[in-house]
Amino acid sequence: MLKRTSLLFLFVAGHFSLQAQQVIPFRITKHNNIIVKTLVNKKDSLDLMFQIAMKEGSISPERQRKADHLIFNKDGISDHNTVSIGKMTWKNIRFLDNQITGHEADGKIGTGLFEGKVFKIDYDNNQFAIYDEKPDLNGFQPVKIIFDQDAFYIPADNIIDDHQQQEAYFVLQSGYSGGILYSNEFAEKNELSNKLRITGEKKLKNSNAENLIIKQGVLPFWKLENFVFKDIPVGFFTGEQQTQKVSYFGADMLRRFIWIFDADREMAYIKPSKYYSEPHYKIN
């Protein structure tokens, strides 16, 4: 009887370990940015924007809250910091100084919070979940990803007109409030200025505080695995500044799915979130 009880305990304990997780709450701004409340170095309470395209953290020159306990060297780097969210604390987090961030944020925090772990971005419940093993993937569709220099790349099909379909890789970019933003190379190669219905132009400021002109147009179809978006607003930069080296899959598109990333950063698993069919974000 004792042996059977012990085996049952081991089974239950093993099952619990498989599903064990930590949860980090967040809020979403009207600009689609994810904000996490943090305590840095046990002293500075900061609202940090989650940036999926970076590993470390950063502080904005336009922050509303003090960050007096982050000490930067002459290169604008601060090492060996702690970041606390609720009862969880991470050590040896690097911060960069003077980087522009999203609305309502004092800076940014990246995927270093999830290093070596499976993590979920759950837009339905406004939380991250951290797992030791893959959770239940029922209802999720796998997407092959490339993880390079702390950025996630996904492939998607771009149907520009009746005769032209182009595959392109997009960097997941939660700091860009819009949806699809094309690289200069893709926009010029595929003559987007001539082939898309243009709806307007806007002036944006990048993380280096440089002013850039973005043209907005309508793409007939955009396809990620089995998910197809019709008449989707897209953006691309114009002018002599050829600064957009990669295409972005921005926060407006990210929020339309619930995401699970494996620990090896080789696969993502997605399913529609409650925002899947929401109107697209308009860049102001």
Side-chain angles (χ1 to χ4, degrees), residues 212-223:
L212 303 169
I213 302 297
I214 183 173
K215 226 174 215 187
Q216 296 169 297
V218 177
L219 187 76
F221 294 97
W222 190 90
K223 184 173 181 288

PDB file of all heavy atoms in Angstrom, residues 212-223:
ATOM      1  N   LEU A 212      11.484  60.186 -39.555  1.00  0.00           N
ATOM      2  CA  LEU A 212      11.371  59.389 -40.770  1.00  0.00           C
ATOM      3  C   LEU A 212       9.965  59.556 -41.341  1.00  0.00           C
ATOM      4  O   LEU A 212       9.000  59.750 -40.600  1.00  0.00           O
ATOM      5  CB  LEU A 212      11.635  57.911 -40.479  1.00  0.00           C
ATOM      6  CG  LEU A 212      12.986  57.565 -39.835  1.00  0.00           C
ATOM      7  CD1 LEU A 212      12.986  56.117 -39.367  1.00  0.00           C
ATOM      8  CD2 LEU A 212      14.124  57.804 -40.811  1.00  0.00           C
ATOM      9  N   ILE A 213       9.851  59.474 -42.670  1.00  0.00           N
ATOM     10  CA  ILE A 213       8.554  59.569 -43.336  1.00  0.00           C
ATOM     11  C   ILE A 213       8.093  58.168 -43.726  1.00  0.00           C
ATOM     12  O   ILE A 213       8.818  57.430 -44.404  1.00  0.00           O
ATOM     13  CB  ILE A 213       8.634  60.460 -44.595  1.00  0.00           C
ATOM     14  CG1 ILE A 213       9.124  61.857 -44.225  1.00  0.00           C
ATOM     15  CG2 ILE A 213       7.266  60.526 -45.271  1.00  0.00           C
ATOM     16  CD1 ILE A 213       8.199  62.601 -43.284  1.00  0.00           C
ATOM     17  N   ILE A 214       6.886  57.822 -43.275  1.00  0.00           N
ATOM     18  CA  ILE A 214       6.336  56.509 -43.598  1.00  0.00           C
ATOM     19  C   ILE A 214       5.111  56.686 -44.494  1.00  0.00           C
ATOM     20  O   ILE A 214       4.264  57.545 -44.256  1.00  0.00           O
ATOM     21  CB  ILE A 214       5.955  55.727 -42.312  1.00  0.00           C
ATOM     22  CG1 ILE A 214       5.444  54.333 -42.666  1.00  0.00           C
ATOM     23  CG2 ILE A 214       4.936  56.478 -41.487  1.00  0.00           C
ATOM     24  CD1 ILE A 214       5.207  53.467 -41.452  1.00  0.00           C
ATOM     25  N   LYS A 215       5.070  55.912 -45.566  1.00  0.00           N
ATOM     26  CA  LYS A 215       3.926  55.898 -46.468  1.00  0.00           C
ATOM     27  C   LYS A 215       3.018  54.749 -46.058  1.00  0.00           C
ATOM     28  O   LYS A 215       3.490  53.671 -45.704  1.00  0.00           O
ATOM     29  CB  LYS A 215       4.410  55.694 -47.909  1.00  0.00           C
ATOM     30  CG  LYS A 215       3.782  56.613 -48.919  1.00  0.00           C
ATOM     31  CD  LYS A 215       4.415  56.442 -50.290  1.00  0.00           C
ATOM     32  CE  LYS A 215       4.463  57.795 -50.984  1.00  0.00           C
ATOM     33  NZ  LYS A 215       4.921  57.679 -52.381  1.00  0.00           N
ATOM     34  N   GLN A 216       1.724  54.993 -46.134  1.00  0.00           N
ATOM     35  CA  GLN A 216       0.767  53.967 -45.761  1.00  0.00           C
ATOM     36  C   GLN A 216      -0.038  53.530 -46.971  1.00  0.00           C
ATOM     37  O   GLN A 216      -0.455  54.370 -47.784  1.00  0.00           O
ATOM     38  CB  GLN A 216      -0.171  54.499 -44.672  1.00  0.00           C
ATOM     39  CG  GLN A 216       0.553  54.819 -43.367  1.00  0.00           C
ATOM     40  CD  GLN A 216      -0.322  55.581 -42.402  1.00  0.00           C
ATOM     41  OE1 GLN A 216      -0.756  56.700 -42.678  1.00  0.00           O
ATOM     42  NE2 GLN A 216      -0.599  54.977 -41.257  1.00  0.00           N
ATOM     43  N   GLY A 217      -0.211  52.230 -47.098  1.00  0.00           N
ATOM     44  CA  GLY A 217      -0.966  51.686 -48.214  1.00  0.00           C
ATOM     45  C   GLY A 217      -1.799  50.500 -47.775  1.00  0.00           C
ATOM     46  O   GLY A 217      -1.817  50.128 -46.597  1.00  0.00           O
ATOM     47  N   VAL A 218      -2.501  49.887 -48.724  1.00  0.00           N
ATOM     48  CA  VAL A 218      -3.365  48.740 -48.438  1.00  0.00           C
ATOM     49  C   VAL A 218      -2.864  47.540 -49.236  1.00  0.00           C
ATOM     50  O   VAL A 218      -2.753  47.606 -50.467  1.00  0.00           O
ATOM     51  CB  VAL A 218      -4.834  49.050 -48.796  1.00  0.00           C
ATOM     52  CG1 VAL A 218      -5.706  47.819 -48.568  1.00  0.00           C
ATOM     53  CG2 VAL A 218      -5.341  50.227 -47.975  1.00  0.00           C
ATOM     54  N   LEU A 219      -2.556  46.465 -48.535  1.00  0.00           N
ATOM     55  CA  LEU A 219      -2.116  45.222 -49.172  1.00  0.00           C
ATOM     56  C   LEU A 219      -3.327  44.313 -49.361  1.00  0.00           C
ATOM     57  O   LEU A 219      -4.094  44.095 -48.415  1.00  0.00           O
ATOM     58  CB  LEU A 219      -1.077  44.527 -48.295  1.00  0.00           C
ATOM     59  CG  LEU A 219      -0.404  43.291 -48.896  1.00  0.00           C
ATOM     60  CD1 LEU A 219       0.646  43.715 -49.926  1.00  0.00           C
ATOM     61  CD2 LEU A 219       0.251  42.437 -47.802  1.00  0.00           C
ATOM     62  N   PRO A 220      -3.542  43.774 -50.579  1.00  0.00           N
ATOM     63  CA  PRO A 220      -4.726  42.931 -50.820  1.00  0.00           C
ATOM     64  C   PRO A 220      -4.838  41.743 -49.867  1.00  0.00           C
ATOM     65  O   PRO A 220      -5.893  41.500 -49.284  1.00  0.00           O
ATOM     66  CB  PRO A 220      -4.547  42.476 -52.267  1.00  0.00           C
ATOM     67  CG  PRO A 220      -3.746  43.574 -52.901  1.00  0.00           C
ATOM     68  CD  PRO A 220      -2.806  44.053 -51.825  1.00  0.00           C
ATOM     69  N   PHE A 221      -3.724  40.984 -49.697  1.00  0.00           N
ATOM     70  CA  PHE A 221      -3.753  39.826 -48.797  1.00  0.00           C
ATOM     71  C   PHE A 221      -2.397  39.667 -48.125  1.00  0.00           C
ATOM     72  O   PHE A 221      -1.348  39.911 -48.741  1.00  0.00           O
ATOM     73  CB  PHE A 221      -4.070  38.527 -49.559  1.00  0.00           C
ATOM     74  CG  PHE A 221      -5.448  38.477 -50.139  1.00  0.00           C
ATOM     75  CD1 PHE A 221      -5.667  38.814 -51.462  1.00  0.00           C
ATOM     76  CD2 PHE A 221      -6.536  38.087 -49.361  1.00  0.00           C
ATOM     77  CE1 PHE A 221      -6.940  38.775 -52.011  1.00  0.00           C
ATOM     78  CE2 PHE A 221      -7.812  38.052 -49.905  1.00  0.00           C
ATOM     79  CZ  PHE A 221      -8.008  38.387 -51.229  1.00  0.00           C
ATOM     80  N   TRP A 222      -2.441  39.249 -46.862  1.00  0.00           N
ATOM     81  CA  TRP A 222      -1.217  38.911 -46.107  1.00  0.00           C
ATOM     82  C   TRP A 222      -1.486  37.610 -45.380  1.00  0.00           C
ATOM     83  O   TRP A 222      -2.515  37.454 -44.715  1.00  0.00           O
ATOM     84  CB  TRP A 222      -0.890  40.024 -45.115  1.00  0.00           C
ATOM     85  CG  TRP A 222       0.450  39.912 -44.459  1.00  0.00           C
ATOM     86  CD1 TRP A 222       1.628  40.442 -44.896  1.00  0.00           C
ATOM     87  CD2 TRP A 222       0.759  39.239 -43.239  1.00  0.00           C
ATOM     88  NE1 TRP A 222       2.648  40.142 -44.031  1.00  0.00           N
ATOM     89  CE2 TRP A 222       2.135  39.401 -43.004  1.00  0.00           C
ATOM     90  CE3 TRP A 222       0.008  38.509 -42.321  1.00  0.00           C
ATOM     91  CZ2 TRP A 222       2.786  38.864 -41.887  1.00  0.00           C
ATOM     92  CZ3 TRP A 222       0.633  37.961 -41.207  1.00  0.00           C
ATOM     93  CH2 TRP A 222       2.003  38.148 -41.009  1.00  0.00           C
ATOM     94  N   LYS A 223      -0.566  36.642 -45.491  1.00  0.00           N
ATOM     95  CA  LYS A 223      -0.845  35.279 -45.023  1.00  0.00           C
ATOM     96  C   LYS A 223       0.267  34.765 -44.118  1.00  0.00           C
ATOM     97  O   LYS A 223       1.438  34.760 -44.491  1.00  0.00           O
ATOM     98  CB  LYS A 223      -1.001  34.353 -46.235  1.00  0.00           C
ATOM     99  CG  LYS A 223      -1.385  32.927 -45.916  1.00  0.00           C
ATOM    100  CD  LYS A 223      -1.678  32.172 -47.197  1.00  0.00           C
ATOM    101  CE  LYS A 223      -2.100  30.741 -46.945  1.00  0.00           C
ATOM    102  NZ  LYS A 223      -0.986  29.890 -46.507  1.00  0.00           N
TER     103      LYS A 223
END
